[in-house]
Amino acid sequence: MLKTLNLSIAVLKMFTKEKPTWGGRELALAMNMNHTNLYRILETFENNGFITKDPITKKYSLGIALWEIGMNMYDSLNIDQLCMPVLEKLKDVTGETAIFTVLNGLEALTLLKAEPVNKVKFTVSRGSRSPLYVGASYRSMLAFLNEEQIAKVIDEPLTAYTNNTMTDATEIRAELEKIRTCGYALSNSEYSVDVLALAMPIFNSEEQVVASITVSGPIYRFTEQRVPDFLGPLTEARNEIEGIIRRYHLYFN
């Protein structure tokens, strides 16, 4: 039964922002699954509102029940109430976008974002998931995982999101060592073109990395020469959110 449960969870995780809909046979092929077993899982999820099937295209997508569970979890954390004031302050001080990202398994999940008014804005949206190797927000967390976890992320073919994306494992490992030494990560046009990002990791009371906080903006405005000016406000915001996480024992994995 646990094997079936793990397989069912794997099916749900196939529905991503990049690929929100699947045909049954298409999904079975992608997961190398027996068609009959997959359809049983999909039917069970559909009967319980976790999956919905388009009557015309016959394709499947996530159902309302998952949204309800997600909102219940999100509301119970009171993340907005606790952390948004910190991000708003960081945004006001720097004049750039402030982002709170959490570690979720071996992926990054953008949880909160404070954007300046009437300025070019960062393209990452709340609720979006990203791989841990690309960009400052995500590498700042990857640097403090164990070697086995790091290997799972980077020791395989990596997607280049822009011409600046690091996809070489040796180069990424060298960058992770720099992050561990200086305590922050910097990236330029790696995940989004013409965007500079400066990020710091956030640790829980067990000294495990659980999140990151980022200042990000377009390179014509947020240049590398401005990084020293932003390190102080970013450190202050990091310490505040880290204190909140430790005080309320928040976990995101």
Side-chain angles (χ1 to χ4, degrees), residues 154-155 166-176:
I154 68 174
D155 288 347
M166 289 187 188
T167 57
D168 179 76
T170 301
E171 183 183 9
I172 294 173
R173 280 193 167 86
E175 184 66 20
L176 298 181

Side-chain angles (χ1 to χ4, degrees), residues 8 40 50 58 65 136 139 185 196 213 228 240 246:
S8 301
R40 285 174 179 168
F50 290 91
K58 306 301 181 183
R139 272 203 305 272
L196 191 76
I213 186 167
E240 286 188 55
R246 295 182 178 199

